[in-house]
């Protein structure tokens, strides 16, 4: 059985790219385009892992992550941050804000998939 | 018993002298008499102190009474001088009295001698006291007359009885104009009635009043006087006069006022300048903030589409989206590496701007330098192999523990090795790592084109590839070595290069095992690389 992944990304091309890569790798993928949608989606599907873009309109990735972390249902769910801001300060802030990891855009497809798999229990890897 | 009466007798006849002494002794005086006959003797005697009386015979063979009196008065204006004579005309007597003799006696009328002596001994004391008082008064009035301070003496009703020259000079009024007036003649409109009321209350209570007065001169000009008004009392304790002494402080006040205004002006200008500077500073900070924000936004905006480009190129190229022909594969490869190159440019530019804004903070965590070398070599091996270059790393056995920023160390290594691969057409790139006390030394030695001696000095400058023509042959931002140097300096290390043009280049890096205490502020770094880090072995 493969993992259910919630992908939160506002840019439609990138959303399509990540969804394509993840589905192709065998994951079940649901996507949201901002933090509010992400919270609703997470409640309905209870994902095994969340991939969260950090800069998004309406509700950004920091806030969405903070909300998810308040909810005990998602205690065991790793949240992997994604950002096009590649600065040391962002890494630190992401680590403090409840992200399990932080990936800088642009991603390299193979590296991206390898990183995601690393945050899932072996049983849930494709 | 009274002390002896000391008497000086000028007399040529022994008997007459004795007679005089006898008269006094008979009257109860203890007498200490000296008899002299001539001028020299008399002068010698006068030099002794304590004579109370001089008696002088009018007719002397070798001296005369007029001369004796003259000598005595020069010596002592008060000592009683009594003339004695056998026969003396009225005229001569009056003349002697006029010249300062106290009395005259005829020898045949010596009965008057003792009463005259008694009277003179009494009167001389009065005369002396009076003389002294006069002298003192004269001195006092000289002091007041010549004083620099303006003095006014008024009667108890405040009418001016006296004003000294300093005051008339100061005010421009003559004494005649002032006498009989009250000091109100000097009054200006600068004081409130309460001020004068306080003045009168104070002095009438018998106390001195001290204040700075703003008064007017005769010509209307305002002047300032630091004044003390003191009441004078008579023996009965009643106030009879007021004395005012004052110092003109107009110039001093003007100087003080000028100084105060200069101070105020200076302060105003300092405040103004400070405000200007802080406004300018705020503008600069705002600009700096805007610049940082702009860079962050641009970085984000540039990377977002690049994510799609690199991602999809990778997807298609890997065959994930369907089969790809060799030609398509080759073309996608070129698109992919172009996108990667673009990403490097963006990253370098962002790094430079952040370093120059002093915004780069180095991590301070333990890591293994050997592992970092391994990662760098692993990442660049494919690039070297593609050019058929040998990429070798020579390390001491075991880990190389360091405390610092692993990511930045990796960045420096990747930059140096990538650079070496880029500028080497055939041969090898060697990484040699050695442990030194408290530091790690890294040598990157290539067999590439090398650097011309004249370009050595610009090697670590920003936006510069040493050879303009090289820019076309070897694409790059020209920021790599500049970033390396800045980062290494922040780590407290050093970097230098040696090159033999046409044979290869050797970079030498030394990084301390532990980061220096303060590494965030790099504003003290010189904008240009100092010469010692770019020595040229070819020269």
């Amino acid at each position: 059985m493969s993992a259910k992944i919630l992908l939160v990304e506002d840019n439609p091309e990138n959303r399509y790219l990540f969804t394509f890569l993840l589905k192709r790798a065998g994951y079940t993928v649901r996507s949201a385009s901002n933090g509010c949608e992400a919270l609703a989606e997470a409640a309905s599907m209870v994902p095994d892992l969340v991939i969260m873009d950090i800069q998004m309109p309406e509700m950004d990735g920091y806030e969405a992550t903070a909300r998810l972390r308040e909810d005990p249902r998602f205690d065991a769910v790793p949240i992997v941050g994604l950002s096009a801001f590649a600065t040391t300060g962002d890494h630190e802030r992401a680590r403090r804000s409840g992200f399990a990891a932080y990936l800088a855009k642009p991603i390299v497809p193979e590296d991206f998939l390898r990183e995601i798999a690393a945050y899932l229990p072996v049983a849930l890897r494709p | 018993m009274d002390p002896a009466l000391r008497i000086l007798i000028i007399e040529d006849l022994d008997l007459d002298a004795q007679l005089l002494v006898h008269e006094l002794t008979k009257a109860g005086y203890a007498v200490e008499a000296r008899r002299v006959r001539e001028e020299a003797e008399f002068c010698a005697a006068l030099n002794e102190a304590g004579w109370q009386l001089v008696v002088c015979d009018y007719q002397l063979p070798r001296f005369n009474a007029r001369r004796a009196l003259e000598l005595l008065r020069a010596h002592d204006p008060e000592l009683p001088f009594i003339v004695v004579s056998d026969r003396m005309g009225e005229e001569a007597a009056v003349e002697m009295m006029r010249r300062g003799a106290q009395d005259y006696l005829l020898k045949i009328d010596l009965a008057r001698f003792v009463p005259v002596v008694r009277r003179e001994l009494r009167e001389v004391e009065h005369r002396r006291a009076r003389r002294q008082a006069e002298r003192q008064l004269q001195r006092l009035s000289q002091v007041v007359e010549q004083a620099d301070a303006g003095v006014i003496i008024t009667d108890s009703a405040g009418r001016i009885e006296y004003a000294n020259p300093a005051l008339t000079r100061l005010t421009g009024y003559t004494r005649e104009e002032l006498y009989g007036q009250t000091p109100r003649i000097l009054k200006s409109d600068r004081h409130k009635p309460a001020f004068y009321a306080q003045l009168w209350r104070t002095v009438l209570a018998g106390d001195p009043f001290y204040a700075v007065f703003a008064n007017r001169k005769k010509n209307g000009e305002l002047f300032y006087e630091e004044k003390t008004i003191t009441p004078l009392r008579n023996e009965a304790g009643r106030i009879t006069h007021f004395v005012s002494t004052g110092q003109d402080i107009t110039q001093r006040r003007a100087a003080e006022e000028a100084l105060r205004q200069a101070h105020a002006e200076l302060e105003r200008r300092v405040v103004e300048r400070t405000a200007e500077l802080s406004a300018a500073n705020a503008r600069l900070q705002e600009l700096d903030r805007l610049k940082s924000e702009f860079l962050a936004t641009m970085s984000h905006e540039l990377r977002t589409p690049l994510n799609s480009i690199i991602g999809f190129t990778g997807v298609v190229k890997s065959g994930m989206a369907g089969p790809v022909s060799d030609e398509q594969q080759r073309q996608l490869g070129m698109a992919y590496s172009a996108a990667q190159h673009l990403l490097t440019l963006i990253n370098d530019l962002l790094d430079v701007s952040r370093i120059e804004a002093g915004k780069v903070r180095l991590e301070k965590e333990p890591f293994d330098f050997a592992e970092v070398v391994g990662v760098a070599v692993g990442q660049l091996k494919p690039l070297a192999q593609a050019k058929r270059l040998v990429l070798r790393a020579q390390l001491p056995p075991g880990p190389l523990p360091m405390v610092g920023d692993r990511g930045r160390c990796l960045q420096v290594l990747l930059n140096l090795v990538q650079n070496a691969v880029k500028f080497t057409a055939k041969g090898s790139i060697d990484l040699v790592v050695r442990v030194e006390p408290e530091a790690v030394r890294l040598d990157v030695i290539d067999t590439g084109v090398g650097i011309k001696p004249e370009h050595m000095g610009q090697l670590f400058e920003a936006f510069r590839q040493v050879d303009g023509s090289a820019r076309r042959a070897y694409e790059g931002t020209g920021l790599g070595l500049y970033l390396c140097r800045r980062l290494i300096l922040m780590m407290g290390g050093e970097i230098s290069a040696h090159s033999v043009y046409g044979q290869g280049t050797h970079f030498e890096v030394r990084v301390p095992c532990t980061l220096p205490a303060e590494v965030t502020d790099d504003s003290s770094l010189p904008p240009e690389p100092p010469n010692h880090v770019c020595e040229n072995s070819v020269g």
Side-chain angles (χ1 to χ4, degrees):
Chain A
M1 178 196 152
S2 73
K4 290 178 287 173
I5 293 180
L6 172 58
L7 171 76
V8 192
E9 160 72 64
D10 65 316
N11 180 283
E13 288 79 24
N14 285 331
R15 196 163 61 236
Y16 170 68
L17 172 66
F18 293 130
T19 307
F20 176 87
L21 284 172
L22 292 166
K23 278 190 170 159
R24 182 121 207 304
Y27 295 110
T28 303
V29 183
R30 298 274 286 274
S31 68
S33 61
N34 64 49
C36 297
E37 280 180 33
L39 295 180
E41 206 58 65
S44 81
M45 73 184 278
V46 188
D48 297 311
L49 182 139
V50 179
I51 299 172
M52 180 79 77
D53 188 19
I54 286 175
Q55 291 79 31
M56 289 183 298
E58 295 187 46
M59 186 192 289
D60 72 8
Y62 287 121
E63 197 187 336
T65 300
R67 298 277 187 89
L68 288 174
R69 283 281 159 261
E70 284 168 10
D71 192 330
R73 278 179 297 169
F74 307 120
D75 275 356
V77 180
I79 303 175
V80 176
L82 259 183
S83 175
F85 281 110
T87 66
T88 316
D90 291 328
H91 279 283
E92 277 172 15
R93 189 174 168 195
R95 244 191 326 233
R96 280 198 310 270
S97 307
F99 288 95
Y102 175 94
L103 301 179
K105 286 193 245 178
I107 56 101
V108 173
E110 291 85 348
D111 298 348
F112 171 73
L113 290 173
R114 197 170 49 248
E115 292 272 357
I116 295 304
Y119 289 96
L120 284 167
V122 179
L124 291 177
R125 288 179 196 169
Chain B
M1 195 183 144
D2 288 337
L5 174 64
R6 296 194 69 214
I7 172 169
L8 189 56
I9 302 169
I10 310 168
E11 176 62 76
D12 57 329
L13 300 171
D14 292 347
L15 191 65
D16 284 3
Q18 284 166 16
L19 207 57
L20 289 171
V21 174
H22 176 73
E23 282 296 315
L24 289 169
T25 312
K26 202 172 66 187
Y29 284 102
V31 178
E32 190 191 318
R34 167 94 53 90
R35 185 163 67 93
V36 297
R37 295 181 178 83
E38 54 192 38
E39 183 168 334
E41 264 185 304
F42 180 57
C43 286
L46 277 183
N47 282 331
E48 291 170 31
W51 298 115
Q52 289 166 281
L53 188 69
V54 177
V55 183
C56 182
D57 189 5
Y58 190 66
Q59 288 94 18
L60 293 163
R62 292 192 295 272
F63 199 11
N64 74 72
R66 201 176 289 183
R67 175 70 185 146
L69 180 58
E70 200 178 292
L71 288 167
L72 176 67
R73 284 293 167 255
H75 193 80
D76 182 341
E78 308 301 342
L79 193 64
F81 187 89
I82 297 165
V83 188
V84 184
S85 171
D86 287 328
R87 48 180 199 296
M88 193 183 189
E90 187 88 0
E91 206 174 314
V94 170
E95 174 63 15
M96 286 305 286
M97 298 280 278
R98 201 181 58 76
R99 285 172 188 265
Q102 265 61 44
D103 212 334
Y104 73 96
L105 301 169
L106 289 176
K107 286 183 178 174
I108 53 163
D109 189 18
L110 275 187
R112 274 190 65 224
F113 180 59
V114 170
V116 165
V117 169
R118 200 170 275 144
R119 188 195 73 215
E120 283 312 315
L121 287 178
R122 203 168 52 236
E123 293 225 327
V124 71
E125 290 311 316
H126 292 158
R127 278 205 306 278
R128 287 221 156 103
R130 197 161 56 238
R131 172 69 61 116
Q132 203 178 348
E134 276 167 10
R135 238 186 254 134
Q136 202 176 356
L137 199 62
Q138 198 183 359
R139 266 200 305 275
L140 282 173
S141 93
Q142 274 173 348
V143 167
V144 175
E145 281 280 304
Q146 293 169 21
D148 186 42
V151 177
I152 296 175
I153 301 174
T154 73
D155 64 15
S156 59
R159 276 185 300 269
I160 297 173
E161 287 186 352
Y162 171 83
N164 75 344
L167 189 101
T168 59
R169 272 198 308 275
L170 173 62
T171 60
Y173 289 104
T174 63
R175 286 182 174 173
E176 290 68 34
E177 286 169 325
L178 291 171
Y179 287 1
Q181 298 287 338
T182 75
R184 280 192 290 276
I185 193 173
L186 301 172
K187 203 170 151 180
S188 74
D189 50 6
R190 295 300 170 96
H191 299 291
K192 292 183 173 139
F195 173 80
Y196 297 103
Q198 174 69 27
L199 186 168
W200 281 109
R201 245 195 329 277
T202 308
V203 296
L204 288 175
D207 296 320
F209 179 80
Y210 168 85
V212 172
F213 283 72
N215 280 337
R216 279 196 196 285
K217 299 182 180 181
K218 189 181 175 186
N219 64 10
E221 197 183 305
L222 203 64
F223 69 99
Y224 292 90
E225 234 185 338
E226 216 167 60
K227 218 189 240 294
T228 307
I229 298 171
T230 314
L232 289 187
R233 292 167 187 277
N234 64 7
E235 284 145 10
R238 204 171 59 79
I239 292 169
T240 58
H241 293 86
F242 297 107
V243 181
S244 148
T245 54
Q247 202 75 44
D248 180 14
I249 57 160
T250 311
Q251 283 187 359
R252 197 179 82 197
R253 271 181 64 107
E256 282 168 0
E257 176 62 20
L259 196 64
R260 217 180 52 236
Q261 278 181 6
H263 263 293
E265 172 65 10
L266 199 62
E267 229 156 78
R268 192 185 60 73
R269 278 162 58 182
V270 166
V271 166
E272 218 175 77
R273 191 78 190 114
T274 308
E276 278 173 24
L277 285 176
S278 86
N281 196 32
R283 272 198 303 279
L284 282 178
Q285 279 180 356
E286 173 63 7
L287 279 177
D288 196 46
R289 197 186 61 74
L290 286 174
K291 186 183 138 192
S292 297
E293 216 169 73
F294 173 78
L295 278 166
T297 308
M298 280 313 289
S299 158
H300 181 253
E301 293 304 311
L302 290 170
R303 280 158 194 264
T304 299
L306 212 49
N307 190 59
S308 296
I309 296 169
I310 291 175
F312 284 120
T313 316
V315 166
V316 178
K317 188 170 163 284
S318 69
M320 279 189 257
V324 196
S325 74
D326 285 353
E327 184 57 25
Q328 285 167 331
Q329 180 73 250
R330 206 172 68 83
Q331 291 172 359
L332 284 168
M334 291 196 292
Y336 189 79
S337 77
Q340 283 293 353
H341 181 60
L342 185 57
L343 178 62
T344 310
L345 299 186
I346 293 165
N347 286 345
D348 283 0
L349 276 170
L350 191 69
D351 266 351
V352 166
S353 66
R354 287 170 53 80
I355 283 178
E356 286 186 344
K359 289 208 171 119
V360 169
R361 190 187 299 273
L362 294 184
E363 299 280 335
K364 207 170 180 178
E365 279 170 2
F367 69 95
D368 177 10
F369 191 75
E371 182 262 342
V372 176
V373 173
V375 169
V377 171
Q379 274 192 31
L380 294 172
K381 203 130 208 172
L383 198 66
Q385 277 166 351
K387 291 180 80 176
R388 297 176 195 281
L389 299 170
V390 178
L391 175 58
R392 289 179 295 230
Q394 189 185 319
L395 290 138
L400 288 170
M402 283 180 77
V403 176
D405 195 319
R406 180 189 173 278
R408 292 300 186 180
C409 274
L410 180 60
Q411 187 181 354
V412 167
L413 268 170
L414 285 173
N415 245 308
L416 288 175
V417 177
Q418 206 162 23
N419 219 47
V421 172
K422 191 193 291 176
F423 289 99
T424 304
K426 62 175 200 281
S428 59
I429 292 114
D430 281 288
L431 269 80
V432 184
V433 181
R434 273 172 291 200
V435 180
E436 293 194 344
E438 306 292 309
V440 166
R441 153 122 180 227
L442 167 76
D443 292 276
V444 181
I445 304 152
D446 68 47
T447 57
V449 288
I451 300 156
K452 286 179 181 166
E454 62 265 33
H455 293 143
M456 213 60 191
Q458 319 161 343
L459 193 60
F460 294 98
E461 288 178 35
F463 306 107
R464 208 184 269 278
Q465 272 190 336
V466 292
D467 188 347
S469 59
R471 194 182 296 273
R472 286 182 292 277
Y474 310 98
E475 58 183 17
T477 49
L479 291 171
L481 285 178
Y482 173 76
L483 275 173
C484 280
R485 177 176 168 269
R486 293 298 294 254
L487 288 170
I488 288 167
L489 289 179
M490 281 175 76
M491 292 171 190
E494 55 193 359
I495 180 168
S496 59
H498 317 267
S499 181
V500 178
Y501 184 61
Q503 291 184 25
T505 307
H506 175 181
F507 282 93
E508 216 179 288
V509 178
R510 191 171 281 102
V511 180
C513 289
T514 304
L515 272 186
E518 184 49 60
V519 293
T520 48
D521 183 14
D522 64 343
S523 59
S524 62
L525 290 179
E528 298 296 317
N531 285 331
H532 72 271
V533 299
C534 339
E535 51 193 56
N536 182 354
S537 61
V538 195

